[in-house]
């Protein structure tokens, strides 16, 4: 694909800006006032290009182009005109681009001047006066060697971009007419005219009709053709037409028309030059920093999440003694499920009651009601305070829907302290210092590389001539190493488990295995002579002594429901509970099962967990063009082309 350095710099700026904005607070919250409208905030009603292609003496191709552009500016003072950008070369071949004229409505002359850089010619229209509303611009220019020979299509091709793929404004209608002089038309290949539309790289086809009779050529075009040695160009000329299509920002229409080889003295696109090795240092370092940094993060995350306890997992069917669900959630690496599991545990123990209404499928359909504070200590007391507040007594009620939509700070703070509580308990250690040092080094190097690539892209040709996907990967890798891999909370490295934490995790994995057992295996594992916890009904109220005479029902199901929530197995375990329960359940139990089965409680817990994982704030804190200045060796007249793959094109902007 043909790319230019301005296009790549613009892409790099956009990538960096997106990641910075993702980390910044919303404008409304930070007090930032939106910037006023700039000169790019307008639209185009239409673009219509007319191309006259002739064969000069010696067989060289020559092109006369007239573009009629209708722009629509705002009614206030913003713009003084437009800027049309045209390429000076195509695949390293000098196009000898020359502007002939710029006119307005009714053929009235419009002031214009040109500026040049290494690859592009910029046509700036207007003077110091502001323009408003609908404005018409007719730009005429000439080029040479616009037909190239492509080995992959065995043809000479007029492979041409019209609007170009660098314009922040949309076009309501963009069409083209290609008129080919009679002697050149004799070499047309049947069925080898194609049209592509969309952003750069799009292979979406568009309609192209022809060849039809070329009609009369305007006098000034006929005179120009005569100056190129094609004095009878209009005789037997043919025309191809691309009907108008709507284009969004940076979208383009490309035409590809094939001729027999030898119809023109068409040069072949040269291969990219052998760039010196030092020009590959920056893109190579960017890829290494980005890709290597991400690999480092994921490998280290996997290492840090390993269980240091190597003892075998034994099926466990009872909750661990004196271990809170909060600690268990953190040891399993699912702190966002801690609150849901603890609420279920409190409901199973009748500390809180869940009341349901409506369809029972959303958080709005459930209320949490505090029944008692008696005997609460440790995490039980803290979770009740997080839910209901410090001074709430029996009968206090929380709307789960409102709690989910706008969690109170006390609940977020509660979950935010999980990691520190786990470390104090001795279940997690500290991240090794060398890991943090490598992260810091990669962050600094990646950020530096991103800015160096952005500001020096125009000085290093190899960066401009990278294929489109690879160029995006280079910039994305550099930006990712500085922002994504080391600043996004989702990639935060976990503190490693200690041996004590590993043993607790092994016990929890034993509970997971029990939850996954078939019914017969589950009963066999639980009802051993030494460990059976038998009651006379499907549920033992807390405080009732188990193993009374005549008791024959294992009292396990509801006690393990909070752990099923931690493992994400709550629906499967509910099926087990319902199968073992009596025909009629208390209303409070039905509501509990409904809130767990609908995932309303886990959704609420996740929403608070996401807020808890967000770092605490410490305080507040000209158009360039694309298309054809690079290198290309692939044609489009056999149907395998794409938008932005041809010569011509360029871009548009305002001034």
């Amino acid at each position: 694909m043909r790319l230019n350095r301005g296009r790549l710099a613009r892409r790099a700026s956009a990538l960096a800006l997106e990641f910075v904005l993702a980390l910044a607070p919303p404008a409304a919250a930070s007090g930032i006032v939106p910037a006023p409208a700039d000169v790019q905030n307008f639209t185009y009603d239409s673009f219509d290009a007319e191309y006259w292609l002739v064969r000069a003496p010696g067989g060289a191709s020559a092109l006369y182009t007239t573009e009629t552009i209708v722009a629509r500016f705002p009614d206030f003072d913003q713009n003084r005109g437009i800027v049309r950008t045209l390429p000076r070369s195509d695949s390293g071949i000098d196009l000898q681009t020359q502007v002939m004229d710029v006119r307005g409505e009714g053929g009235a002359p419009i002031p214009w001047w040109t500026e040049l850089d290494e690859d592009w010619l910029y046509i700036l229209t207007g003077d110091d006066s502001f323009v408003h509303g609908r404005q018409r611009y007719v730009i005429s220019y000439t080029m040479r060697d616009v037909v190239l020979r492509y080995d992959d299509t065995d043809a000479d091709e007029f492979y041409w971009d019209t609007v170009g793929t660098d314009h922040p404004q949309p076009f309501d209608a963009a069409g083209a007419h290609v008129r080919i002089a009679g002697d050149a038309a004799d070499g047309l290949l049947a069925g080898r005219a194609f049209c592509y539309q969309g952003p750069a790289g799009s292979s979406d086809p568009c309609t192209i009709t022809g060849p039809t009779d070329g009609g009369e050529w305007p006098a000034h075009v006929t005179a120009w053709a005569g100056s190129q040695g094609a004095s009878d160009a209009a005789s037997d000329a043919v025309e191809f037409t691309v009907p108008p299509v709507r284009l969004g920002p940076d979208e383009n229409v490309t035409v590809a028309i094939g001729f027999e080889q030898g119809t023109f003295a068409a040069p072949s696109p040269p291969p990219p030059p052998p760039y010196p090795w030092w020009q590959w240092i920056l893109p190579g370092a960017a890829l290494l920093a980005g890709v290597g940094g991400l690999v480092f993060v994921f490998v280290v995350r996997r290492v840090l999440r390993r269980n240091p306890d190597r003892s075998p997992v034994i099926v466990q069917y009872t909750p661990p003694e004196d271990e809170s669900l909060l600690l268990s959630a953190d040891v399993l690496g699912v702190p966002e499920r801690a609150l849901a599991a603890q609420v279920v545990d409190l409901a199973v123990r009748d500390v809180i009651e869940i009341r349901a209404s409506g369809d029972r499928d959303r958080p709005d359909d459930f209320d949490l009601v505090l029944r008692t504070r008696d005997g609460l200590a440790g995490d039980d007391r803290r979770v009740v305070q997080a839910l209901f507040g410090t001074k709430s007594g029996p009968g206090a009620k929380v709307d789960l829907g409102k709690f989910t939509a706008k969690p109170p700070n006390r609940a977020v703070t509660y979950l935010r302290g999980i990691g520190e509580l786990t470390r104090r308990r001795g279940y997690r250690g500290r991240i090794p210092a060398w890991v943090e040092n490598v992260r810091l080094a990669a962050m600094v190097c990646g950020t530096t590389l991103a800015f160096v690539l952005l500001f020096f892209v125009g000085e290093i040709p190899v960066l401009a001539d990278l294929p489109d996907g690879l160029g995006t990967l280079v910039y994305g890798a550099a930006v990712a190493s500085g922002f994504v891999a080391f600043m996004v909370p989702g990639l935060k490295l976990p503190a490693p488990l200690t041996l004590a934490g590993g043993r607790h995790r092994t016990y929890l994995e034993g509970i997971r295995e029990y939850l996954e057992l078939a019914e017969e295996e589950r009963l066999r594992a639980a009802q051993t002579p030494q460990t059976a916890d038998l009651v006379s009904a499907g549920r033992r109220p807390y405080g009732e002594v188990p193993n009374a005479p005549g008791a024959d029902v294992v009292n396990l199901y509801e006690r393990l429901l909070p752990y099923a929530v931690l493992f994400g197995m709550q629906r499967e375990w509910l099926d087990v509970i319902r199968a073992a329960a009596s025909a009629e359940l208390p209303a409070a139990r039905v509501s509990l099962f409904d809130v767990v089965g609908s995932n309303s409680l886990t959704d609420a817990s996740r929403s608070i967990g996401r807020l808890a994982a967000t770092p605490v704030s410490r305080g507040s804190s000209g158009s360039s063009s694309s298309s054809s200045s690079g290198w290309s060796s692939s044609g489009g007249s056999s149907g395998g082309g794409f938008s932005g793959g041809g010569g011509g094109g360029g871009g548009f902007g305002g001034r």
Side-chain angles (χ1 to χ4, degrees):
M1 177 179 291
R2 299 173 171 118
L3 294 172
N4 79 321
R5 298 166 199 171
R7 174 78 171 176
L8 289 174
R10 181 179 168 195
R11 182 183 296 115
S13 300
L15 282 169
L17 181 60
E18 286 176 7
F19 288 121
V20 170
L21 290 178
L23 298 171
S30 60
I32 298 175
V33 179
D38 60 29
V39 294
Q40 306 302 338
N41 289 338
F42 65 97
T43 61
Y44 291 99
D45 288 358
S46 63
F47 169 92
D48 184 68
E50 296 184 279
Y51 303 103
W52 288 273
L53 178 64
V54 303
R55 185 168 58 184
S61 56
L63 184 70
Y64 191 103
T65 302
T66 296
E67 297 176 347
T68 302
I69 304 111
V70 178
R72 189 166 297 276
F73 299 106
D75 293 332
F76 51 85
D77 291 348
Q78 173 181 281
N79 294 90
R80 293 177 170 84
I82 66 171
V83 179
R84 175 62 163 129
T85 307
L86 300 173
R88 299 181 64 190
S89 63
D90 176 15
S91 295
I93 298 168
D94 185 10
L95 295 175
Q96 302 178 41
T97 304
Q98 182 178 356
V99 181
M100 306 297 290
D101 194 17
V102 178
R103 294 191 174 270
E105 198 71 50
I110 290 179
W112 61 278
W113 73 98
T114 62
E115 295 179 359
L116 303 174
D117 62 20
E118 183 180 353
D119 300 311
W120 304 93
L121 181 150
Y122 304 90
I123 307 173
L124 296 91
T125 68
D127 49 28
D128 289 337
S129 302
F130 288 101
V131 290
H132 307 105
R134 182 182 183 277
Q135 298 291 326
R136 187 172 186 263
Y137 299 88
V138 181
I139 301 175
S140 300
Y141 55 90
T142 63
M143 294 177 172
R144 289 180 65 88
D145 287 326
V146 295
V147 175
L148 301 183
R149 181 162 300 159
Y150 294 94
D151 293 336
D152 65 327
T153 58
D154 295 322
D156 294 349
E157 286 191 20
F158 178 66
Y159 188 21
W160 210 246
D161 299 338
T162 57
V163 176
T165 56
D166 193 10
H167 49 88
Q169 304 84 11
F171 286 80
D172 287 345
H177 306 269
V178 181
R179 298 180 176 91
I180 302 170
D183 56 347
D186 293 338
L188 283 169
L189 292 171
R192 295 288 292 274
F194 290 88
C195 172
Y196 313 97
Q197 73 177 80
S202 170
S203 57
D204 292 344
C206 50
T207 302
I208 183 170
T209 61
T212 58
D213 187 285
E216 295 292 327
W217 288 23
H220 64 281
V221 176
T222 300
W224 164 82
S227 71
Q228 303 299 310
S231 55
D232 196 21
S235 177
D236 297 325
V238 299
E239 177 180 352
F240 290 88
T241 300
V242 177
V245 296
R246 180 176 177 80
L247 299 178
D250 296 332
E251 292 185 345
N252 170 60
V253 170
T254 296
V255 296
I257 300 173
F259 300 84
E260 294 179 0
Q261 286 194 357
T263 302
F264 293 91
S268 296
Y275 299 108
W277 63 270
W278 58 266
Q279 290 196 14
W280 294 97
I281 293 177
L282 275 180
L287 286 173
L288 180 62
V291 178
L294 286 173
V295 171
F296 168 80
V297 168
F298 287 115
V299 169
V300 171
R301 276 173 60 87
R302 188 173 184 85
V303 171
L304 294 179
R305 292 172 69 110
R306 285 189 310 182
N307 187 347
D309 178 31
R310 299 304 179 191
S311 58
V313 175
I314 301 173
V315 174
Q316 306 289 347
Y317 68 92
T318 57
E321 295 292 335
D322 299 325
E323 298 291 1
S324 73
L325 286 156
L326 183 76
L327 292 173
S328 297
D330 192 64
V331 166
L332 289 173
V334 288
E336 70 279 0
R337 298 179 187 170
L339 191 62
Q342 288 185 306
V343 169
V344 171
D345 184 55
L346 292 173
V348 167
R349 292 155 49 198
D350 296 324
V351 174
I352 67 173
E353 180 182 341
I354 298 176
R355 296 177 183 173
S357 61
D359 295 330
R360 303 188 177 209
D361 58 359
R362 299 180 307 162
D364 292 341
D365 297 330
F366 299 95
D367 292 327
L368 308 181
V369 181
L370 179 62
R371 298 187 65 179
T372 180
R373 282 180 175 268
D374 296 341
L376 296 181
D379 284 330
D380 289 341
R381 178 174 51 82
R382 284 191 286 268
V383 73
V384 167
Q385 290 177 350
L387 291 169
F388 300 98
T390 305
K391 299 181 180 180
S392 298
K397 185 169 66 174
V398 170
D399 184 314
L400 189 59
K402 294 180 180 178
F403 192 86
T404 303
K406 191 175 181 181
N409 290 335
R410 62 178 184 270
V412 177
T413 302
Y414 170 69
L415 288 187
R416 198 167 266 158
I418 290 179
E420 184 59 32
L421 181 62
T422 311
R423 280 191 292 270
R424 289 204 307 267
R425 186 63 181 265
Y427 280 5
R428 286 195 184 274
R430 298 284 182 180
I431 297 176
W434 68 268
V435 174
E436 293 295 341
N437 291 337
V438 172
R439 288 182 60 189
L440 179 61
M443 181 180 68
V444 172
C445 291
T447 305
T448 303
L449 280 170
F451 282 101
V452 169
L453 286 170
L454 174 61
F455 290 111
F456 288 92
V457 62
E459 308 300 324
I460 305 177
V462 67
L463 295 175
D465 296 325
L466 289 173
D468 190 31
L470 182 58
T472 302
L473 179 61
V474 166
Y475 288 104
V479 174
S481 65
F483 291 95
V484 178
F486 307 101
M487 296 179 72
V488 174
L491 294 175
K492 184 179 179 181
L493 296 178
L497 289 173
T498 62
L499 183 57
R503 288 171 178 166
H504 183 54
R505 180 162 185 168
T506 300
Y507 189 96
L508 294 172
E509 292 296 336
I511 295 179
R512 183 203 296 268
E513 290 203 4
Y514 177 77
L515 296 175
E516 293 174 342
L517 289 176
E519 176 68 16
E520 183 178 348
E521 295 172 325
R522 190 163 51 243
L523 290 172
R524 187 184 306 118
Q527 294 191 108
T528 65
Q530 295 79 17
T531 60
D533 182 10
L534 304 179
V535 295
S536 57
R539 179 174 69 92
R540 168 170 63 85
Y542 275 76
E544 180 183 313
V545 178
N547 298 321
D552 59 356
V553 179
V554 180
N555 181 52
L556 298 173
Y557 302 121
E558 290 187 8
R559 293 171 60 192
L560 292 182
L561 182 56
Y563 292 89
V565 171
L566 287 183
F567 291 118
M569 300 171 59
Q570 60 270 21
R571 291 191 175 182
E572 296 88 337
W573 197 241
L574 279 175
D575 292 339
V576 173
I577 295 174
R578 288 187 173 114
S582 58
E584 292 190 11
L585 290 171
R589 278 299 181 270
V590 174
S591 297
L592 169 62
F593 297 162
D594 286 343
V595 76
V596 173
S598 69
N599 287 333
S600 296
L601 195 56
T602 52
D603 290 344
S605 184
R606 286 194 194 99
S607 68
I608 302 171
R610 284 192 293 268
L611 289 176
T614 304
V616 180
S617 175
R618 302 296 181 186
S620 59
S621 60
S623 177
S624 58
S625 51
S626 67
S627 293
S628 55
S629 66
W631 307 87
S632 176
S633 59
S634 177
S637 70
S638 60
F642 50 87
S643 174
F652 282 89
R655 64 168 295 269

